[in-house]
């Protein structure tokens, strides 16, 4: 409905950033192609990719969502950057809060990195500040192109609590800050 369209613009300083799925479908797909992926990890990735965003999307319609986008080929960092640019803010992502699919960290350490992931990282590097101590494999996975990734949802604190209660898979990954320096800060 035209009155219920959510854009990736509109995030405001102080808002909470939530995500609705785990990250790692691209790395796991690459590991599968290289024949190093374990069956349970592939099955978890397939379950994630086939889980629709419909319920998570419908839950937003009753809330004051300031911005939203789905995370696909540009990875979490790329789609968050688009949101930050459209909203004229900086998005801080707490890398320790981001959840990964089973095996994703291991496959990243083994070098199961797609060309798309490398392109994402190269393209977005100029607009991403990375705090000391963020593990390399986590930085890599935050750029991982996702197939049927989750929703990146930005809401005020009180609405974020309500969204977490409505959507069991939603979890906090960061905050919106006034624009300063890079569009994305990985903490």
């Amino acid at each position: 409905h035209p009155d219920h369209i959510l854009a990736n613009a509109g995030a405001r300083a102080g808002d909470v950033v939530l995500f609705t799925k785990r990250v790692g479908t691209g790395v796991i797909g690459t590991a599968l192609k290289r024949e190093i992926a374990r069956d349970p990890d592939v099955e978890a990735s397939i379950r994630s990719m086939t889980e629709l965003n419909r319920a998570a999307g419908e839950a937003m319609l009753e809330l004051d969502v300031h911005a939203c986008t789905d995370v696909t080929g540009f990875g979490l960092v790329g789609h968050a950057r688009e949101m930050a640019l459209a909203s004229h803010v900086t998005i801080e992502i707490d890398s320790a809060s981001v959840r990964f699919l089973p095996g994703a960290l291991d496959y990243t350490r083994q070098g199961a990195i797609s060309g798309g992931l490398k392109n994402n990282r190269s393209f977005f590097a100029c607009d991403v500040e990375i705090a000391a101590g963020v593990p390399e494999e986590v930085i890599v996975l935050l750029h991982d192109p996702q197939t049927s990734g989750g929703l990146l949802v930005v809401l005020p604190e009180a609405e974020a609590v309500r969204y977490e209660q409505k959507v069991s898979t939603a979890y906090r990954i960061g905050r919106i800050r006034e624009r300063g320096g890079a569009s994305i800060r990985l903490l």
Side-chain angles (χ1 to χ4, degrees):
H1 189 279
D3 294 334
H4 297 291
I5 294 172
L6 297 172
N8 67 354
R12 302 174 195 163
D15 284 348
V16 176
V17 181
L18 294 105
F19 194 53
T20 62
K21 287 190 180 182
R22 294 177 179 264
V23 174
T25 61
V27 165
I28 292 172
T30 302
L32 180 63
K33 290 174 193 170
R34 294 187 181 174
E35 299 181 350
I36 60 171
R38 295 177 297 270
D39 288 344
D41 300 339
V42 173
E43 291 165 10
S45 182
I46 291 169
R47 275 193 308 278
S48 177
M49 290 185 286
T50 57
E51 181 181 333
L52 299 178
N53 286 320
R54 183 177 186 155
E58 288 176 349
M60 289 188 287
L61 298 178
E62 302 169 18
L63 303 173
D64 182 23
V65 174
H66 290 168
C68 178
T69 190
D70 61 335
V71 174
T72 56
F74 293 142
L76 184 59
V77 165
H79 288 283
R81 179 179 177 266
E82 286 182 337
M83 183 181 284
L85 289 172
S87 301
H88 308 290
V89 297
T90 293
I91 298 180
E92 290 182 345
I93 297 174
D94 177 4
S95 60
S97 296
V98 178
R99 298 175 187 169
F100 301 108
L101 286 164
L105 287 166
D106 291 337
Y107 301 131
T108 301
R109 290 181 192 114
Q110 294 175 49
I113 298 168
S114 70
L117 189 155
K118 291 176 188 174
N119 291 340
N120 284 348
R121 189 162 182 193
S122 175
F123 185 77
F124 301 125
C126 65
D127 204 16
V128 177
E129 293 175 6
I130 303 171
V134 178
E136 177 64 19
E137 60 270 17
V138 170
I139 296 167
V140 169
L141 276 169
L142 294 178
H143 293 84
D144 187 37
Q146 300 302 286
T147 298
S148 187
L151 299 178
L152 193 60
V153 184
V154 176
L155 316 94
E157 176 66 38
E159 295 291 270
V161 170
R162 290 181 61 208
Y163 190 68
E164 290 169 306
Q165 292 168 345
K166 290 175 171 280
V167 181
S168 63
T169 60
Y171 61 100
R172 295 167 187 243
I173 64 164
R175 285 260 178 206
I176 304 297
R177 302 293 183 203
E178 294 289 337
R179 178 67 186 185
S183 296
I184 302 296
R185 281 192 202 115
L186 301 180
L187 308 175

